[in-house]
Amino acid sequence: MPPYLTREEYFDAWARWHGGTDPRASPVVRGWLTAAHTLARPLAGLSPSVVTAIGLLVAVAAVGPAAAGGWWLIPAGLLVGLSGLLDSLDGALAIAGGRATRRGYVLDSAVDRLTEVGYGLALWLAGAPVWLAVSYGALCWFPDYLRARAGQAGVDETGAISVWERPTRVAMTGMTLGGAGVVSSLGLEVAVVVVGTAVGAVLGLVGSAQLARQLRRALG
């Protein structure tokens, strides 16, 4: 098995797998990947694909507590956070452990999109209007769709990191659900869910606009 990369080597390798985007440019992404790199080190012998599958199951498991509402929203938020952590762990295991493959890269991206469907569904079941939950889910997908299409058009760079990257999506979903559960005894859980989902959708619009502007330049 190849040696486990140092954090800086991991950042460099991560950038190569993500179109040259430097994770150090964003404090949120840098911190998120640092945590994943540190936590993955003791698990270096574990298959990244197994962690990917577990992350999807955990994200799906968050839907049940979200539908139950009330204080159950707290474990729903924690499950969302755990699914995001597992998503980063599988990437750290693959890249820092020297086992990254194109097949695993595509599988990880597909699972990310499926987990984000689960996030939108959980927010809807927790009280967000269906149109808002669908918009939130679509805006989770849209930036990565833009990057994929730009890549097919010959753009090598994925663009600078926006305000609506994967760690932000996971954090917004988890904090919205968990925060709603904390105030459920006051009957405010639906209001918190609606506001949190709306804020996430606004961030999604801003992030998509940032990325679209960058890719427009790259596309000439």
Side-chain angles (χ1 to χ4, degrees):
M1 182 183 297
Y4 195 78
L5 300 181
T6 66
R7 190 188 70 159
E8 295 304 312
E9 291 171 336
Y10 169 55
F11 284 165
D12 292 337
W14 187 94
R16 289 193 293 272
W17 277 98
H18 293 82
T21 300
D22 189 352
R24 303 174 187 86
S26 167
V28 174
V29 176
R30 184 177 65 246
W32 186 269
L33 293 181
T34 296
H37 176 267
T38 302
L39 293 172
R41 183 182 291 275
L43 306 173
L46 191 61
S47 167
S49 296
V50 170
V51 179
T52 299
I54 295 173
L56 176 59
L57 293 175
V58 170
V60 171
V63 173
W71 69 269
W72 280 101
L73 293 172
I74 297 176
L78 292 174
L79 286 170
V80 166
L82 179 58
S83 73
L85 177 60
L86 289 168
D87 172 54
S88 293
L89 282 178
D90 65 6
L93 287 169
I95 295 175
R99 290 179 289 173
T101 63
R102 290 184 298 175
R103 178 181 176 183
Y105 181 77
V106 172
L107 175 63
D108 183 63
S109 297
V111 169
D112 285 351
R113 305 293 79 76
L114 291 174
T115 59
E116 287 163 356
V117 170
Y119 296 166
L121 180 59
L123 291 168
W124 171 57
L125 292 172
V130 63
W131 66 267
L132 184 56
V134 169
S135 298
Y136 185 98
L139 287 164
C140 285
W141 281 44
F142 191 59
D144 293 284
Y145 174 78
L146 276 180
R147 285 183 169 124
R149 295 297 290 173
Q152 290 175 338
V155 176
D156 295 328
E157 299 178 3
T158 58
I161 294 174
S162 73
V163 298
W164 190 238
E165 300 298 335
R166 175 76 173 164
T168 309
R169 300 170 212 163
V170 173
M172 278 300 307
T173 308
M175 289 190 298
T176 296
L177 292 171
V182 169
V183 301
S184 60
S185 61
L186 303 175
L188 298 174
E189 63 267 31
V190 173
V192 171
V193 169
V194 172
V195 171
T197 307
V199 170
V202 170
L203 289 174
L205 287 171
V206 173
S208 296
Q210 288 177 319
L211 181 60
R213 184 172 62 253
Q214 295 157 6
L215 292 178
R216 182 183 178 188
R217 295 195 204 101
L219 290 165

